[in-house]
Amino acid sequence: MSGCPFLAKKHQFFTSKHVTEEEDDAQKGINKASKGGIVYGDYLVLDKVLNAQVLQSELKGDKVHDEHLFIVTHQAYELWFKQILWELDSVRELFMNDGVRDERNMLKVVSRMHRITMIFRLLGDQFSVLETMTAMDFFAFRDYLTPASGFQSLQFRLLENKIGVSDNLRVPYNRRHYRDNFQGTDSEVLLHSEKEPTLLKLVEQWLERTPGLETDGFDFWGKFQTNVEQGFKLERQKIEKMTESEMKQEMLEDLTKQIDLFTSLFDSKRHEHLLSKGDRRLSFKALQGALMINFYREEPRFQVPFQLLTSLMEIDTLMTKWRYNHVCMVHRMIGSKSGTGGSSGYHYLRSTVSDRYKVFVDLFNLATYLVPRSWIPKLNPNIHKFPYTAECYDSSYNSFSSSSSCSSEDSD
């Protein structure tokens, strides 16, 4: 008999009334699967999913172990791309079908956009799994992939189009339009997606309806411009009272730059010029709405809209990080070699990591126009009551009947 007091009491421990009751409770379930119906493997169609990893190296009689990891990782990417498109299409439908005319439905939009950001975070981390494979490991089966290439991912191109990557800002692929690398149905699907309303366009229209922009109402833009001009005037007077010095000159020069910056902001023609160059993406009025939401984000009426703008920037940021991680991995795996699909490889991918592919760049630039809180027009909730339903203040929804004008919708 062991001298261990625990082992000596083993039988007594496991036959105590307390433990026996717990074990009995743990076994009170019913095995429903034994009675028929769909089971886990059938529900997930695992017979197809788990047999979809066909190693080209094995077909060629030279089975390479790490090709399996390469395939599984990229299949996982495509499944997550499918989920992102599922969420993105549902958000776009809410905008297109007037589901957001009742702003209370924006919570659903924000939650789905947040889900997309979480998926993109996961996709970024997935590179670390691929990077457990060395360049030599990849070299062992790389030639079997040709001419397959990640550029040929239809879902990723659809994702870019539906979010709002501008066609004229895309980097050409071997001096050709990106769609030339797709044929048949895939090419038609891409062309159709280019003609659909993008998330950027739908958000732009929504921002243009921001309550408080009405010139015959709160008139945020007019009051903001007046306050900014007055604020700069007082700043200049304050600096000019200083004794002549190098610091005074530098402060005046900096003030002049700030004045020029805001003069450009308030100039609608200048805005249109920047739009034509691709330096701005939102309309003049939508930019006003975005800035207003940013300034009044602490007000209950603008908290959810602010969360949406934050999610949009997060998606842009995470997509940029994903591209950058891809560039770094490709550089590590193939150096400066050409890609399996025929591109310049690392050099091509590096050219896509820029603001050209940032869709909501205007939202990032809002921080350029931060001003002292005292310059922001005062909002009195007792006077400026902004309704939560768009029809109540937006003439673009006048076609709707009064009975439906202020009702909450839950469309999917």
Side-chain angles (χ1 to χ4, degrees), residues 43 66 68 92 110 127-128 198 202 225 375 403:
Y43 179 71
D66 282 353
H68 192 275
R92 290 169 57 245
V110 169
F127 280 106
S128 61
T198 65
L202 294 167
Q225 182 173 358
W375 294 16
S403 61

Side-chain angles (χ1 to χ4, degrees), residues 80 83-84 87 110-126 311 314-315 318-319 322:
W80 283 123
Q83 185 62 35
I84 291 173
E87 303 295 346
V110 169
S111 66
R112 292 177 183 177
M113 295 303 294
H114 176 66
R115 183 178 295 166
I116 292 174
T117 65
M118 297 308 292
I119 294 174
F120 267 118
R121 288 185 186 280
L122 179 64
L123 296 184
D125 291 339
Q126 213 167 269
S311 292
E314 190 74 0
I315 289 174
L318 291 169
M319 287 190 73
W322 188 90

Side-chain angles (χ1 to χ4, degrees), residues 137-282:
D137 295 332
F138 182 51
F139 181 78
F141 66 87
R142 182 173 182 261
D143 286 346
Y144 297 126
L145 307 181
T146 305
S149 166
F151 185 87
Q152 298 157 8
S153 171
L154 173 65
Q155 291 194 118
F156 192 74
R157 301 305 154 206
L158 287 172
L159 176 58
E160 291 177 326
N161 288 347
K162 292 185 178 189
I163 288 179
V165 172
S166 177
D167 187 50
N168 60 356
L169 291 178
R170 283 182 178 273
V171 177
Y173 186 81
N174 293 341
R175 297 186 177 85
R176 299 183 65 181
H177 192 275
Y178 85 98
R179 212 182 327 108
D180 291 343
N181 290 273
F182 298 86
Q183 284 80 41
T185 304
D186 288 352
S187 180
E188 293 175 5
V189 170
L190 285 171
L191 183 60
H192 179 71
S193 71
E194 292 174 8
K195 296 177 180 179
E196 294 177 345
T198 65
L199 181 63
L200 172 64
K201 188 64 179 178
L202 294 167
V203 168
E204 177 186 72
Q205 294 170 351
W206 168 72
L207 285 170
E208 289 174 346
R209 299 195 299 268
T210 301
L213 294 181
E214 310 87 352
T215 55
D216 58 347
F218 180 62
D219 190 20
F220 161 73
W221 199 244
K223 291 178 179 177
F224 179 57
Q225 182 173 358
T226 299
N227 288 4
V228 168
E229 291 172 351
Q230 182 64 22
F232 280 136
K233 182 179 179 180
L234 294 175
E235 284 290 314
R236 182 179 292 279
Q237 292 174 355
K238 181 180 177 181
I239 296 174
E240 288 177 343
K241 290 179 180 179
M242 296 171 59
T243 56
E244 293 298 327
S245 64
E246 185 176 337
M247 179 180 291
K248 176 182 178 179
Q249 187 61 34
E250 290 176 355
M251 291 176 69
L252 284 171
E253 291 176 359
D254 183 62
L255 180 64
T256 299
K257 291 179 182 178
Q258 289 295 311
I259 293 173
D260 290 343
L261 178 69
F262 277 85
T263 299
S264 174
L265 173 66
F266 296 124
D267 188 343
S268 60
K269 291 183 179 179
R270 172 66 175 167
H271 183 92
E272 292 301 320
H273 174 67
L274 293 173
L275 268 177
S276 65
K277 291 173 57 181
D279 292 338
R280 284 188 184 163
R281 313 293 164 78
L282 294 172

Side-chain angles (χ1 to χ4, degrees), residues 175 213 267 312 326 334 347 350 358 376 398:
R175 297 186 177 85
L213 294 181
D267 188 343
L312 295 173
H326 189 200
I334 68 173
H347 297 289
R350 186 178 63 180
K358 260 188 181 177
I376 301 173
N398 281 348

